[in-house]
Amino acid sequence: MASRAWSPVIRILLVALTVMTTASWEITSVKADSGGTCQVAYGLTPTSIPDWLMPVSENTNLATANRYDVLAAELLSSGLVDGITCPAQGLNPDGSANGCGIELTKDQVLTWQNQFDSVILSSSQAAELPPKVVKAVIAVESQFWPAANWTLGEIGLGQMTTYGADLVLMWRPAYFQTICRQTYGEIGCTTQYQFLDSSTQYLLRGMVLRDIEATCPNCPGGVDLEKGNQAIRVLTETLNASCLQLTRIFNLATGKQPAAFLSYDDYWRLVLANYHAGAGCVYQALRKTGNPNNWNSIAANFSSGCASGAEYIRRIEGQIKP
């Protein structure tokens, strides 16, 4: 998720939307045979589903062979790959991998980017989400390196932020109670997240981030891979939360469900933009568009402070396309 330096106006709008998108909006559980949370939130069973949005099946193959230079640098700097045969141990002065380092780590990068596939498949199946989307989000967010980036405040394989923790705690009641029970015992929380006092919300957000913080000084490479697996499970919860919130935002902006305007694939592009750029950015773009009947017209109306939302979708699609 993006770590955004929002303007005061957008911050105020986000706070307002936080209340508007949850107050008087029933968050219901979804039956296993319903097509999943996101399909129900869309408002219509799609007549056809593109390959990148297909659910898990016995033939699903997530294997990729992409070049990830950030991952290469992490493998070198963590000592998981010995860069002794390269100039400067395979690293540039800024910490990025040099040409020799990229070449040296090629096989390890290939292995590393596919080691989470089984957890992506099982988590996507449990959450009824398209696994290719889940893997693409991880690729764009972290290049499969699970450690935290505390400079940007982004944690785990999905680069969760405090805004993302807010999103999942508000819109996924069962997950919210899981976090509550870790903090308060079996009694959990008797009040919905959005109505808790700010100090309790802060504590619960911290619990979400702590659960997926993979930094581990005593682990190989300094990362706990089980925490990486947990981050995948939390990512799928958060994507489902984004589907629910996006549908509410769409209803506020247009008075209708997304299916009344958008194809299923354009709906998913907007869900991912919401995950990355936030509710305030998406709501503003929808209001500016007037007739939001396709992704391109909506993307063209992201404000300058939200423009990364459109670029994010291009990067996601770049990971999915063969």
Side-chain angles (χ1 to χ4, degrees):
M1 303 187 78
S3 179
R4 299 166 295 272
W6 286 338
S7 70
V9 172
I10 294 179
R11 286 182 181 274
I12 292 169
L13 179 58
L14 179 62
V15 172
L17 281 169
T18 295
V19 177
M20 293 168 67
T21 57
T22 53
S24 301
W25 183 259
E26 185 178 2
I27 302 173
T28 57
S29 59
V30 177
K31 295 181 180 179
D33 61 354
S34 66
T37 296
C38 291
Q39 193 175 114
V40 171
Y42 173 59
L44 184 71
T45 300
T47 55
S48 64
I49 299 177
D51 179 70
W52 66 286
L53 293 176
M54 289 295 292
V56 175
S57 73
E58 61 181 18
N59 298 319
T60 302
N61 180 6
L62 294 182
T64 53
N66 297 328
R67 171 176 163 173
Y68 294 115
D69 292 358
V70 171
L71 177 56
E74 295 289 1
L75 292 171
L76 288 162
S77 62
S78 67
L80 287 171
V81 176
D82 188 350
I84 194 170
T85 59
C86 289
Q89 304 293 309
L91 296 168
N92 293 313
D94 64 359
S96 62
N98 60 32
C100 180
I102 290 169
E103 184 63 28
L104 179 67
T105 58
K106 186 181 294 183
D107 290 343
Q108 291 86 348
V109 165
L110 178 62
T111 299
W112 192 277
Q113 67 186 272
N114 292 306
Q115 70 175 317
F116 300 105
D117 285 2
S118 62
V119 179
I120 292 171
L121 284 169
S122 61
S123 298
S124 298
Q125 186 169 37
E128 298 184 273
L129 289 171
K132 290 185 178 181
V133 168
V134 175
K135 185 167 185 177
V137 168
I138 294 170
V140 170
E141 292 285 355
S142 66
Q143 291 195 13
F144 303 97
W145 187 251
N149 184 338
W150 286 110
T151 302
L152 297 177
E154 299 176 341
I155 316 300
L157 289 172
Q159 295 291 271
M160 176 75 79
T161 65
T162 56
Y163 302 108
D166 263 330
L167 175 63
V168 70
L169 289 168
M170 285 181 191
W171 286 95
R172 300 299 284 171
Y175 177 76
F176 163 62
Q177 288 298 338
T178 298
I179 295 297
C180 281
R181 283 191 289 271
Q182 290 181 26
T183 309
Y184 300 111
E186 284 303 313
I187 190 171
C189 295
T190 56
T191 303
Q192 293 180 46
Y193 173 79
Q194 60 268 34
F195 301 119
L196 294 172
D197 62 86
S198 59
S199 61
T200 303
Q201 289 182 347
Y202 179 84
L203 175 64
L204 295 176
R205 288 195 300 269
M207 289 291 294
V208 172
L209 299 180
R210 190 192 73 176
D211 269 3
I212 61 175
E213 159 61 302
T215 302
C216 174
N218 298 321
C219 298
V223 291
D224 181 347
L225 293 181
E226 180 49 43
K227 289 283 190 176
N229 293 336
Q230 175 63 10
I232 295 169
R233 292 186 279 268
V234 175
L235 173 61
T236 59
E237 289 281 1
T238 310
L239 289 175
N240 269 329
S242 186
C243 287
L244 292 168
Q245 186 185 56
L246 184 276
T247 293
R248 180 57 171 154
I249 292 167
F250 206 95
N251 181 266
L252 286 170
T254 68
K256 296 183 179 180
Q257 288 186 297
F261 287 87
L262 294 173
S263 65
Y264 190 54
D265 48 339
D266 275 354
Y267 162 74
W268 258 102
R269 291 181 177 95
L270 202 55
V271 166
L272 293 169
N274 185 66
Y275 171 81
H276 172 77
C281 290
V282 171
Y283 181 77
Q284 282 189 321
L286 287 169
R287 295 291 293 173
K288 286 181 181 178
T289 305
N291 182 29
N293 59 5
N294 64 81
W295 161 249
N296 288 333
S297 63
I298 298 168
N301 282 291
F302 278 113
S303 65
S304 58
C306 302
S308 65
E311 175 58 26
Y312 186 74
I313 302 308
R314 286 191 287 271
R315 293 174 64 196
I316 292 287
E317 291 177 333
Q319 294 296 319
I320 293 169
K321 291 177 181 177

